[in-house]
Amino acid sequence: VSFAPIVAALLDTATIRHISTIAWSYSIANIDVPDLFNVHFVNQVTIKCAKKNVGVDSLSRLHQWNLWQTKEKMRPGLQSSLQDSCYKAFTSQETHPSKFQNKIVLYLLSIGVEPKEEVVMDSGYSIDALVTVDGRTIGIEVDGPCHFIGESRCPLGATILKRRQVQSIDGIELISLTHWDWIKSACSTEKKQKR
């Protein structure tokens, strides 16, 4: 049973927060529904964004949905003035490198790789570290526990979407360094040193 007809019927009465969350969820799942994400949808988003002060979270989710529509699905997206507002909101969020990320950067420096930290890509995503190896640009995402559901190894929707969109839109290879891989690597190195 498709959820899209129900969402379409509620567009006129839903808040921009609800609409942006639904659009973002479809983007994460990469479920294409042209009957939902059409001119009426874009018009409702435009009207609702013009009526009141829209939160950064809603605008950021709309930016990611717009990337999905225009860059991944090659469909029309939001009006250009709203696209600009969404991009500004998405890129305005401060980044706070974790201790884990700082360890990775220090390690990269110790092996002679000079990463550029917190690089904002054309898509608006901020990459934890960007390195060049053998002429290839590689993005490194340091994915600690907060990037996963509970204690599982299943990434959150935001992490899934970022990984997919950075690779498909910005065209760079993206490596995810997870906390469990780092711990496993550190333990392995420690065992080798003890031998």
Side-chain angles (χ1 to χ4, degrees):
V1 176
S2 176
F3 186 59
I6 298 166
V7 174
L10 297 173
L11 276 180
D12 295 345
T13 58
T15 67
I16 192 62
R17 183 169 179 237
H18 294 133
I19 291 172
S20 67
T21 301
I22 289 167
W24 184 70
S25 298
Y26 274 94
S27 304
I28 291 166
N30 202 16
I31 297 173
D32 197 15
V33 188
D35 291 341
L36 172 60
F37 300 121
N38 54 23
V39 172
H40 180 68
F41 178 87
V42 171
N43 287 340
Q44 284 301 310
V45 168
T46 304
I47 290 166
K48 290 173 190 296
C49 285
K51 282 186 180 177
K52 67 176 198 168
N53 212 359
V54 180
V56 170
D57 287 346
S58 293
L59 291 172
S60 294
R61 286 190 290 266
L62 287 171
H63 172 71
Q64 291 171 299
W65 172 83
N66 191 65
L67 287 174
W68 178 58
Q69 285 295 288
T70 61
K71 305 293 185 187
E72 292 186 275
K73 297 299 175 190
M74 303 305 175
R75 291 214 174 82
L78 301 171
Q79 295 174 359
S80 61
S81 61
L82 186 52
Q83 283 183 32
D84 293 342
S85 297
C86 292
Y87 179 85
K88 285 176 187 166
F90 187 69
T91 57
S92 72
Q93 299 176 36
E94 281 188 46
T95 57
H96 303 282
S98 65
K99 289 178 185 177
F100 178 37
Q101 182 176 332
N102 291 335
K103 283 182 184 179
I104 298 296
V105 168
L106 287 174
Y107 174 75
L108 291 170
L109 289 168
S110 77
I111 61 169
V113 177
E114 294 188 28
K116 295 177 187 172
E117 295 181 72
E118 299 302 333
V119 177
V120 177
M121 305 303 291
D122 289 341
S123 63
Y125 282 104
S126 177
I127 302 299
D128 293 338
L130 203 61
V131 298
T132 303
V133 178
D134 296 329
R136 290 182 12 228
T137 301
I138 301 169
I140 298 173
E141 277 299 294
V142 180
D143 292 337
C146 66
H147 291 265
F148 301 90
I149 298 170
E151 294 181 16
S152 75
R153 292 185 178 199
C154 184
L156 294 172
T159 302
I160 291 168
L161 188 58
K162 181 177 185 177
R163 288 176 182 173
R164 189 184 78 228
Q165 288 190 327
V166 165
Q167 291 183 86
S168 69
I169 296 167
D170 294 309
I172 65 164
E173 183 179 344
L174 192 64
I175 295 173
S176 171
L177 294 176
T178 63
H179 61 288
W180 61 78
D181 287 335
W182 182 256
I183 291 168
K184 183 179 173 182
S185 175
C187 289
S188 174
T189 301
E190 194 175 296
K191 284 180 185 175
K192 286 179 185 175
Q193 289 174 347
K194 286 182 181 179
R195 287 184 195 161

